[in-house]
Amino acid sequence: MQINPMMPLSQDDLLIWLKSFSDQLSKGTIILDFHEKSLPILHVNNDFFQLTGYRNDALIGQNITVFNGQKTNLDTYNELLYSLTKGVSNNFTILHYEENGSAFWNHIIVHPIRDQQDTIQYLLLTCEDHTTQALNKMLSKLEHEVYAEIDNGDNLQSILTLISEKIENYYIRNVYCTIHLIENQNEIKSVGSHSLPLHIIQQLEIPRISPTICSDTQPVYINELVLPENVTKQFQEHRLNLVNTSWTKPILTPQYQIFGVLTLLHEDNTELKQDDLDYLNRLTLLIQLAVNYAEQKLELRRLAFYDNDTNLPNMQYFQTMLKQWIDTGNEGIIALLHPSEFNNFVDLYGRKAGDKLLHQMVERLQQNPTPDEEFIARFSNSIIIAKKVSLQQLDAYQSRIQTLTIDPYTHNGKRNYITLKTGISYFHNTSVVEDCIHQADIALTKARSINGTNVAFFEEDSNKKLAEEMETFNQLVYGIQNGEFTVHLQPKINIDTLEIEGFEALSRWNSHVLGNVSPAIFIPIAEKSGKIKEIDSLNFKIVLAWLQKRIIEGKRIYPIAINISPDYFYDVHFLSEVEHIFQQFDVPAKYIRFEVTESIELGDFTKAKEILQQLKKIGIESSIDDFGVGFSSLSYLPHLPFSEIKIDRSFINSMKDPGVYAVVQTIIQLAQNIYMRAIAEGIETKEQLIMLKAMGCPAGQGYYFYKPMPLEKIDQLPELQTIY
């Protein structure tokens, strides 16, 4: 609606005209006197009476605060008041109250009206009932919050309590909300309420709707709710407003089967409007969908995190929980409890009997809880416990575990005693979950080697080893960041000509604290910690820098093979990082070859093939390293674009064995058949060289020829002195 804000009339004539105009509008209007500080009401039209029940004569001289009520938002009201006092056009949606106390959402548009001197004389407010729109927005917000809570993993009880809370906060009437779900034996049990305590709800005369097929979905309305004297007293003790009216609405399944009821209790006895009915219908639908969704999520969670046979948490759940404890700085123990007679139970009574035995053990532990938090799960044919406990409390905890063997376990009326083996390890804020569990398993192995019920701890020497690994890891991070890593090169030799045909780059680390650290020590730690990718990348850059220097000096260049770990190979940024590193150096790609272990096939054959093909497009050839010691399928090998197969040194060392000799010969022939080149690793004797030459192996490397050497010593080799 467009209103000319400036009229060529005097103040008095303007008011007469404005009243006439207001009465002809088809929406509620209010005229306010702009010059009075209190902004008194001068006129309301008949449509406003239809909207609020207030007649014109009842409002003259009052201000708009008369429409405010208990749930009117004061911030919105103050914004409205500011626009009115400043004479600013604006629009607001605010909760107002009718004369009978019923609330509605009032959409107000403020129109400042000026006279012929362009001076604001009056304010014309047009009003519309936007209750339906506002309730729909609130229901959408409620739905979003409820589903967010469900996705966060809250249980059904907390979800229904949240719905009750939001309904009480959002609804335009002052209500208490309760949600009852029908459970076993068709009993209705309250599982959702916010303000009303359960013991009060159970004493209210709320209609109990039978859970039968029902086509009547109308709410049951009680407008004279009688509160017993003791209930009234409890309301007062909890500082709750007394209720006079209740609406109870069945919650139906899509098949019209009642599985719950929603009840709203409120103070006044105003009648239900169509907006209220629509709101209740949407609320019950939301509850029905939320309950179904929550139950589905709970079932999926149960399938993902619980063992189907015992209904105990599974190892995935256990590891997730233990990681949370470790990440938040907790310490304690891991205890693996294994009944020695488990296999006998299974052999005698079946697999389910073994499951039942484990479940009974957990029940006994839970009947005798300790103050410290613990988490129990199934671990194969044992149970595993994570316990937040100090070392000083271990003796008491051991005694608790051993009580599990005092009384017999029954199955089909038969009494069976057990002996219990327990392995215990420790966790703290720097522990690795898998390591803690592995250590408990090691301790359990020791316990199982001793007859009877006993407990074994992870050895202190092993703790010392862990501490050493931690120190190595700390220094490894420092070494990567501070240039302690370098590369040694080991020549590859053409077996026919005995000339150098290339090199393999091997990572070396000289720590300022630990000294020279063997790759056998730092490589596994780097792999476990994820730092191996940084070492691989660093080796690549060192090799390229060395090659670039030789190119600039005009010296002879040989291809260099660089080991690439599976972690780096499968990294999503691997290919882009390779290209980026190449851009930093002026070295042709043909002088670089990547060596990967055959375990890369186990990760993702399709992905491995794609990466190898992309490398080949760049110009980088690839070798499969340590061939024969992994678990690769030979059927994959011809389909992967490798150019070399490196025969593992363990085969070369054992070639005197006829069987091993045959294997080496087969690998060499296999490589030829699929257009790859075999390279023997670890050649240490002339005898090995002669045997490999007889087999037709084209190339090899090992101490018989050269040990790995620093780059400066490589530069001194006669072959590398040649300048082109």
Side-chain angles (χ1 to χ4, degrees):
M1 179 181 64
Q2 299 293 326
I3 298 176
N4 184 358
M6 185 173 70
M7 302 296 295
L9 297 172
S10 65
Q11 181 178 357
D12 292 339
D13 292 339
L14 183 58
L15 180 59
I16 294 171
W17 177 88
L18 197 57
K19 288 181 178 179
S20 175
F21 176 76
S22 169
D23 290 339
Q24 295 178 59
L25 288 177
S26 60
K27 59 178 63 179
T29 62
I30 310 172
I31 301 173
L32 305 180
D33 189 344
F34 182 71
H35 289 291
E36 292 290 333
K37 185 177 181 180
S38 64
L39 301 172
I41 297 172
L42 300 176
H43 180 77
V44 299
N45 68 357
N46 187 61
D47 282 276
F48 190 80
F49 164 70
Q50 298 296 329
L51 180 65
T52 66
Y54 282 103
R55 293 188 178 276
N56 186 49
D57 53 3
L59 293 175
I60 300 302
Q62 299 196 56
N63 60 44
I64 60 171
T65 57
V66 70
F67 308 119
N68 290 353
Q70 185 176 351
K71 285 201 167 188
T72 301
N73 187 285
L74 291 180
D75 290 337
T76 306
Y77 170 73
N78 288 331
E79 291 177 14
L80 170 61
L81 186 60
Y82 178 83
S83 291
L84 295 177
T85 55
K86 298 297 182 182
V88 177
S89 297
N90 212 332
N91 67 87
F92 302 88
T93 300
I94 186 170
L95 193 65
H96 274 167
Y97 288 79
E98 302 176 23
E99 186 179 33
N100 65 5
S102 297
F104 71 101
W105 285 100
N106 191 5
H107 182 68
I108 300 173
I109 302 177
V110 179
H111 307 276
I113 306 298
R114 294 174 168 82
D115 62 12
Q116 56 191 358
Q117 280 78 39
D118 197 22
T119 302
I120 298 176
Q121 299 293 344
Y122 306 103
L123 298 169
L124 178 67
L125 276 58
T126 56
C127 305
E128 288 185 290
D129 187 347
H130 275 210
T131 300
T132 299
Q133 297 93 318
L135 288 178
N136 287 342
K137 286 178 65 176
M138 289 181 176
L139 278 167
S140 296
K141 183 179 180 182
L142 170 60
E143 184 175 15
H144 174 77
E145 292 179 358
V146 167
Y147 281 92
E149 289 296 319
I150 294 174
D151 288 335
N152 286 336
D154 278 357
N155 57 40
L156 186 59
Q157 171 71 47
S158 63
I159 297 302
L160 295 177
T161 300
L162 173 69
I163 295 174
S164 300
E165 176 188 358
K166 298 303 181 182
I167 290 173
E168 292 182 12
N169 291 339
Y170 291 164
Y171 193 33
I172 58 177
R173 299 173 182 263
N174 295 319
V175 297
Y176 297 119
C177 176
T178 68
I179 300 171
H180 300 66
L181 292 188
I182 295 172
E183 296 191 334
N184 298 330
Q185 289 80 44
N186 294 335
E187 294 181 357
I188 297 177
K189 179 180 179 182
S190 176
V191 295
S193 67
H194 174 56
S195 299
L196 287 182
L198 180 60
H199 68 273
I200 292 181
I201 296 172
Q202 292 172 337
Q203 299 177 71
L204 295 174
E205 296 181 5
I206 296 174
R208 300 180 67 81
I209 300 175
S210 175
T212 56
I213 299 298
C214 175
S215 59
D216 183 10
T217 62
Q218 295 302 312
V220 177
Y221 178 51
I222 299 177
N223 61 2
E224 292 183 1
L225 191 64
V226 179
L227 298 181
E229 184 177 344
N230 64 316
V231 176
T232 300
K233 184 178 179 181
Q234 291 176 38
F235 265 82
Q236 294 168 345
E237 289 175 352
H238 287 275
R239 298 182 180 180
L240 300 170
N241 296 325
L242 296 177
V243 294
N244 297 306
T245 310
S246 73
W247 304 338
T248 299
K249 181 80 168 63
I251 304 170
L252 305 179
T253 67
Q255 295 76 32
Y256 291 97
Q257 181 76 33
I258 296 176
F259 75 93
V261 292
L262 165 70
T263 301
L264 302 182
L265 302 109
H266 47 101
E267 303 169 38
D268 56 51
N269 55 2
T270 53
E271 296 182 0
L272 291 174
K273 295 182 178 181
Q274 188 60 45
D275 287 336
D276 297 309
L277 293 172
D278 294 341
Y279 185 65
L280 284 174
N281 286 334
R282 289 196 60 186
L283 276 179
T284 52
L285 179 60
L286 169 62
I287 295 169
Q288 177 232 315
L289 294 175
V291 168
N292 289 341
Y293 184 61
E295 289 177 341
Q296 289 172 5
K297 293 283 287 188
L298 289 171
E299 178 61 17
L300 288 174
R301 180 178 175 81
R302 190 191 69 78
L303 292 174
F305 292 109
Y306 286 83
D307 173 61
N308 285 333
D309 297 320
T310 60
N311 206 32
L312 297 174
N314 60 21
M315 281 306 298
Q316 181 178 350
Y317 195 0
F318 182 87
Q319 289 174 308
T320 301
M321 183 63 68
L322 181 57
K323 187 176 187 307
Q324 290 176 5
W325 286 7
I326 290 172
D327 290 346
T328 51
N330 292 285
E331 62 178 25
I333 63 166
I334 308 294
L336 263 174
L337 280 61
H338 174 69
S340 306
E341 293 70 25
F342 181 86
N343 290 338
N344 292 341
F345 264 74
V346 173
D347 291 341
L348 286 171
Y349 309 121
R351 175 62 60 180
K352 290 184 178 179
D355 299 333
K356 184 179 178 182
L357 172 62
L358 297 179
H359 194 273
Q360 287 184 52
M361 289 171 60
V362 174
E363 286 180 335
R364 292 190 185 182
L365 284 171
Q366 292 173 340
Q367 289 170 1
N368 183 26
T370 60
D372 304 290
E373 189 175 356
E374 69 181 357
F375 189 81
I376 307 174
R378 178 171 186 167
F379 182 84
S380 185
N381 55 3
S382 310
I383 62 173
I384 187 168
I385 304 171
K387 180 74 174 177
K388 296 178 183 177
V389 63
S390 66
L391 299 183
Q392 292 76 16
Q393 298 170 300
L394 272 181
D395 289 342
Y397 193 65
Q398 288 185 66
S399 299
R400 175 173 176 253
I401 291 175
Q402 291 178 349
T403 60
L404 296 175
T405 64
I406 295 175
D407 296 319
Y409 292 81
T410 59
H411 180 76
N412 292 339
K414 295 183 179 180
R415 294 155 56 90
N416 300 273
Y417 288 90
I418 66 169
T419 55
L420 196 62
K421 316 294 187 183
T422 304
I424 294 179
S425 65
Y426 309 92
F427 69 85
H428 46 78
N429 62 347
T430 60
S431 298
V432 177
V433 169
E434 292 79 6
D435 289 346
C436 296
I437 297 171
H438 180 59
Q439 290 161 11
D441 207 4
I442 292 173
L444 178 61
T445 300
K446 179 181 178 182
R448 293 174 71 170
S449 67
I450 305 171
N451 293 331
T453 295
N454 58 82
V455 177
F457 292 86
F458 186 64
E459 296 294 338
E460 286 300 322
D461 287 346
S462 300
N463 283 341
K464 181 180 178 182
K465 182 180 178 182
L466 284 176
E468 290 173 352
E469 287 184 1
M470 191 64 190
E471 175 63 11
T472 303
F473 169 70
N474 290 335
Q475 295 305 324
L476 181 139
V477 175
Y478 177 89
I480 292 173
Q481 296 173 349
N482 293 275
E484 293 183 350
F485 281 83
T486 186
V487 164
H488 285 195
L489 298 182
Q490 184 175 32
K492 294 181 180 179
I493 305 300
N494 185 296
I495 288 181
D496 286 331
T497 65
L498 298 183
E499 294 178 346
I500 295 175
E501 63 175 37
F503 297 91
E504 178 182 3
L506 301 167
S507 185
R508 292 295 183 264
W509 175 28
N510 185 12
S511 168
H512 74 291
V513 173
L514 305 175
N516 286 313
V517 183
S518 168
I521 294 176
F522 74 77
I523 292 295
I525 293 174
E527 289 175 338
K528 185 189 299 184
S529 63
K531 292 294 180 181
I532 191 66
K533 292 186 284 187
E534 296 179 45
I535 294 175
D536 289 348
S537 177
L538 184 61
N539 293 341
F540 189 20
K541 293 175 183 177
I542 293 172
V543 167
L544 287 176
W546 183 74
L547 286 173
Q548 180 174 270
K549 179 175 179 293
R550 292 189 62 83
I551 290 173
I552 293 171
E553 294 173 351
K555 293 181 179 179
R556 187 172 183 177
I557 307 301
Y558 291 89
I560 297 180
I562 301 169
N563 290 287
I564 299 296
S565 65
D567 281 354
Y568 194 28
F569 183 83
Y570 281 115
D571 189 282
V572 292
H573 303 296
F574 173 62
L575 290 171
S576 61
E577 285 185 9
V578 168
E579 292 183 346
H580 176 70
I581 293 172
F582 258 123
Q583 292 169 5
Q584 301 173 42
F585 301 91
D586 189 16
V587 176
K590 66 180 181 179
Y591 290 114
I592 295 297
R593 177 173 281 113
F594 285 155
E595 292 189 359
V596 294
T597 63
E598 59 176 309
S599 63
I600 60 108
E601 297 175 22
L602 299 178
D604 186 335
F605 170 75
T606 303
K607 185 66 176 177
K609 183 177 180 181
E610 178 186 339
I611 294 171
L612 291 170
Q613 289 173 338
Q614 290 298 319
L615 289 173
K616 199 164 187 176
K617 286 182 180 179
I618 296 172
I620 300 175
E621 297 291 336
S622 301
S623 301
I624 184 165
D625 197 15
D626 300 332
F627 186 79
V629 298
F631 303 96
S632 297
S633 170
L634 289 176
S635 63
Y636 291 159
L637 194 58
H639 302 289
L640 293 172
F642 289 114
S643 59
E644 288 182 348
I645 295 177
K646 299 193 72 177
I647 307 170
D648 187 72
R649 67 182 64 248
S650 62
F651 291 100
I652 306 304
N653 291 337
S654 304
M655 283 193 300
K656 289 182 179 180
D657 183 292
V660 176
Y661 183 93
V663 169
V664 174
Q665 194 170 38
T666 300
I667 294 174
I668 294 170
Q669 186 62 50
L670 170 68
Q672 293 175 352
N673 292 343
I674 58 178
Y675 305 103
M676 295 181 190
R677 197 162 183 264
I679 296 180
E681 295 182 295
I683 301 174
E684 297 183 356
T685 67
K686 184 175 182 179
E687 183 182 8
Q688 292 171 346
L689 175 62
I690 293 171
M691 294 172 73
L692 288 167
K693 186 173 183 178
M695 293 181 202
C697 184
Q701 63 189 84
Y703 285 8
Y704 179 75
F705 305 112
Y706 297 97
K707 294 182 178 180
M709 294 176 284
L711 297 178
E712 55 270 19
K713 286 192 176 183
I714 292 290
D715 287 330
Q716 297 170 10
L717 291 173
E719 295 94 326
L720 271 75
Q721 298 298 312
T722 307
I723 296 179
Y724 288 84

